């Protein structure tokens, strides 16, 4: 009887532990279950954590530079942000995604102040007021409340064809944890180009700022064309910014006077020179922190020798480096010196022989005379 009670107690404990394990497994399964947002896009907690790029702590940064660029959507690969003009089987443009997220109250937008950027709650824009300002037709969506307003906007009422450029805030940071320089896009602002009604050039109207981290889980699911010769969509919109596939001119760097480059350099030539100088300093900053490697030093010597060869009108043979040509010259000069020294020594030897010959003939004659005298 005693053993029977003990067996029953062990059985109860085992069943209890199995039930707890089952509950834990069930909870973890619930956490892994995909969830759909209000826009019908599946976003998991793991996916959100993967695409969320946390800003590094100031304690980990040794140097940082804030750069403002203009991305012209009519140039280069930037067109990937513009097309398709309206949603189709290939997807939708970046501006359509942003407008849908704003209308569904899924992200926050911040006022474009012009002279500074403030990403705080006090400067969050009201979506309805923004739509009114830029003449975007909308209506209240189903399920909209005062605390969580939502709006319905037709595709034809979204002015995607008038978004011809973007402003972006680009941060260049040297991280002491990795001892490497990196650049990342912090925020972007769609710029509306709209005619004023008098037939002139379209006037740019910056609309609002959005943080890139807020829209990354959504733009990472939109794949784009980056090459007209290859219609395979290998990259998404998140890759486009993360891999710095865009091209844009610098129009401002953060400075004490808080002035743009257009204000600091009114002359176009001086402005272009300043932009090029900033680009070069950004790309060479981390390289100047370290001593060059042996391969880099050899490359520098090679470039210098090649430049000297071109200035002297010399041509390098196919596959021949300037260093090899220089070594060939040095070898020829050494051989020439050796050849000249050997010729001189030969001449000296022949001269000595010519001088010695008369002496030998004289000695032979004197010897003959002595013999004749003896006979006599």
């Amino acid at each position: 009887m005693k053993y029977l009670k003990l067996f029953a107690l062990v059985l109860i404990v085992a069943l209890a532990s199995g039930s707890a394990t089952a509950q834990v497994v069930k909870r973890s399964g619930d956490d892994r279950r995909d969830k759909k947002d209000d826009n019908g896009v599946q976003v998991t907690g793991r996916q959100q954590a993967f695409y969320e790029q946390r800003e590094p702590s100031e304690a980990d940064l040794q140097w940082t530079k804030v750069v403002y660029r203009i991305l012209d959507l009519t140039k280069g690969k930037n067109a990937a942000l513009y097309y398709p003009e309206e949603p189709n089987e290939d997807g939708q443009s970046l501006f359509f995604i942003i407008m849908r997220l704003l209308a569904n109250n899924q992200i926050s937008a911040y006022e474009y102040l012009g002279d500074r950027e403030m990403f705080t709650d006090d400067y969050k824009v009201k979506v309805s007021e923004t739509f009114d300002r830029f003449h975007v037709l909308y209506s209240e969506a189903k399920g909209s409340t005062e605390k969580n307003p939502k709006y319905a906007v037709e595709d034809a009422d979204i002015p995607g064809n008038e978004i011809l450029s973007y402003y972006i805030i680009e941060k260049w940071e040297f991280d002491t944890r990795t001892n490497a320089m990196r650049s990342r896009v912090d925020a972007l602002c769609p710029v509306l180009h709209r005619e004023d009604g008098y037939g002139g050039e379209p006037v740019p109207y910056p609309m609002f700022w959005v943080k890139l981290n807020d829209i990354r889980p959504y733009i990472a699911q939109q794949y784009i064309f980056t090459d007209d010769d290859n219609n395979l969509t290998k990259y998404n919109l998140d890759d486009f910014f993360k891999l710095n596939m865009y091209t844009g001119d610098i129009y401002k760097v953060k400075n004490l006077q808080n002035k743009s480059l257009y204000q600091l350099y009114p002359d176009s030539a001086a402005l272009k020179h300043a932009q090029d100088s900033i680009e070069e300093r950004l790309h060479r900053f981390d390289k100047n922190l370290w001593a060059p490697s042996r391969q880099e030093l050899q490359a520098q010597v090679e470039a210098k020798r090649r430049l000297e060869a071109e200035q002297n009108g010399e041509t390098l043979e196919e596959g021949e480096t300037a260093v090899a040509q220089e070594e060939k010259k040095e070898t020829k000069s050494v051989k020439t010196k050796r050849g000249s020294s050997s010729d001189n020594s030969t001449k000296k030897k022949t001269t000595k022989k010519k001088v010695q010959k008369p002496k030998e003939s004289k000695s032979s004659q004197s010897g003959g005379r002595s013999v004749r005298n003896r006979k006599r």
Side-chain angles (χ1 to χ4, degrees):
M1 189 68 180
K2 181 178 180 179
Y3 292 104
L4 186 59
K5 291 182 178 179
L6 182 62
F7 177 75
L9 181 62
V10 172
L11 183 60
I12 292 172
V13 172
L15 291 174
S17 61
S19 177
T21 305
Q23 290 179 0
V24 172
V25 173
K26 185 177 180 181
R27 287 175 184 171
S28 62
D30 290 340
D31 291 340
R32 291 195 300 266
R33 187 177 301 168
D34 293 347
K35 299 178 181 179
K36 289 187 178 181
D37 59 13
D38 296 333
N39 203 24
V41 179
Q42 289 185 346
V43 180
T44 63
R46 181 179 299 176
Q47 184 183 26
Q48 178 72 23
F50 176 78
Y51 285 115
E52 182 180 359
Q53 184 179 9
R54 295 184 179 181
E55 298 182 4
S57 171
E58 292 184 358
D60 298 326
L61 297 178
Q62 187 177 4
W63 182 87
T64 184
K65 190 73 172 177
V66 181
V67 177
Y68 299 76
R69 294 184 185 271
I70 302 176
L71 306 187
D72 188 350
L73 303 192
T74 63
K75 295 181 179 179
K77 292 185 177 180
N78 295 341
L81 304 179
Y82 180 83
Y83 293 101
E85 295 185 29
E86 293 186 0
N88 55 28
E89 64 276 5
D90 294 329
Q92 52 187 337
S93 66
L94 175 62
F95 184 67
F96 267 83
I97 296 175
I98 293 175
M99 291 292 283
R100 291 299 181 200
L101 294 174
L102 282 177
N104 292 328
N105 198 22
Q106 294 172 272
I107 61 172
S108 298
Y110 303 87
E111 292 183 23
Y112 177 85
L113 302 176
D115 56 346
R116 66 190 189 282
E117 291 73 39
M118 302 295 292
F119 300 108
T120 61
D121 292 341
D122 295 336
Y123 292 91
K124 285 183 179 180
V125 300
K126 292 183 178 181
V127 178
S128 59
E129 294 179 359
T130 302
F131 287 170
D132 291 335
R133 186 192 314 168
F134 295 103
H135 309 290
V136 178
L137 300 178
Y138 64 94
S139 60
E140 285 192 5
K142 185 178 180 180
S144 176
T145 61
E146 185 177 355
K147 292 184 179 180
N148 186 21
K150 298 180 181 181
Y151 305 95
V153 183
E154 298 293 334
D155 290 345
D157 296 326
I158 296 179
N161 61 330
E162 295 180 305
I163 303 299
L164 301 181
S165 63
Y166 280 90
Y167 295 156
I168 66 169
I169 300 176
E170 190 180 68
K171 287 188 176 181
W172 290 73
E173 300 165 334
F174 184 79
D175 195 339
T176 56
R177 296 173 301 177
T178 58
N179 287 332
M181 172 79 82
R182 69 164 187 167
S183 66
R184 61 182 179 87
V185 177
D186 183 56
L188 54 90
C189 170
V191 181
L192 187 75
H193 293 251
R194 182 167 288 172
E195 296 181 0
D196 54 5
Y198 296 98
E201 291 292 329
V203 180
Y205 296 97
M207 299 183 69
F208 45 76
W209 289 103
V210 292
K211 299 283 286 185
L212 187 65
N213 277 351
D214 293 343
I215 63 175
R216 288 188 72 194
Y218 307 97
I219 64 175
Q221 301 179 54
Q222 176 58 60
Y223 284 81
I224 57 176
F225 293 102
T226 57
D227 189 358
D228 289 336
D229 295 330
N230 185 3
N231 297 138
L232 183 64
T233 55
K234 298 189 299 181
Y235 302 99
N236 56 48
L237 285 173
D238 183 46
D239 296 329
F240 186 84
F241 292 104
K242 188 165 53 179
L243 301 177
N244 303 115
M245 301 173 68
Y246 53 84
T247 58
D249 295 330
I250 299 174
Y251 71 90
K252 182 181 177 181
V253 291
K254 196 169 185 178
N255 57 82
L256 295 176
Q257 298 178 340
N258 197 26
K259 291 184 177 180
S260 66
L261 293 182
Y262 301 106
Q263 294 173 317
L264 296 174
Y265 305 98
D267 182 66
S268 58
L271 173 64
K272 185 65 170 61
H273 182 268
Q275 291 173 333
D276 294 341
S277 299
I278 294 171
E279 290 281 7
E280 185 178 359
R281 288 200 302 269
L282 290 173
H283 289 91
R284 294 188 60 85
F285 177 82
D286 57 338
K287 295 182 180 179
N288 295 333
L289 295 177
W290 314 104
S293 63
R294 183 179 180 182
Q295 291 78 7
E296 291 174 343
L297 289 175
Q298 290 177 347
Q300 293 176 6
V301 173
E302 171 68 20
K304 183 178 179 181
R305 296 275 176 84
R306 187 173 291 276
L307 179 61
E308 292 177 353
E310 291 177 357
Q311 291 176 351
N312 295 332
E314 300 173 354
T315 57
L316 301 180
E317 297 179 3
E318 186 176 358
E320 182 183 21
T321 62
V323 177
Q325 189 191 50
E326 189 68 21
E327 292 177 353
K328 187 186 294 184
K329 287 182 180 179
E330 293 178 358
T331 305
K332 287 183 179 179
S333 62
V334 171
K335 289 182 178 179
T336 304
K337 289 180 181 179
R338 288 179 179 177
S340 61
S341 61
S342 61
D343 293 342
N344 292 334
S345 61
T346 305
K347 287 181 180 179
K348 288 180 181 180
K349 288 181 181 179
T350 54
T351 305
K352 287 181 180 180
K353 287 180 180 180
K354 288 181 180 179
V355 173
Q356 288 176 358
K357 281 181 180 179
K359 288 182 180 180
E360 290 177 357
S361 61
K362 288 180 181 180
S363 61
S364 61
Q365 290 177 2
S366 60
R369 287 177 183 176
S370 62
V371 173
R372 289 176 183 176
N373 292 334
R374 285 178 185 175
K375 289 181 179 181
R376 289 177 184 178

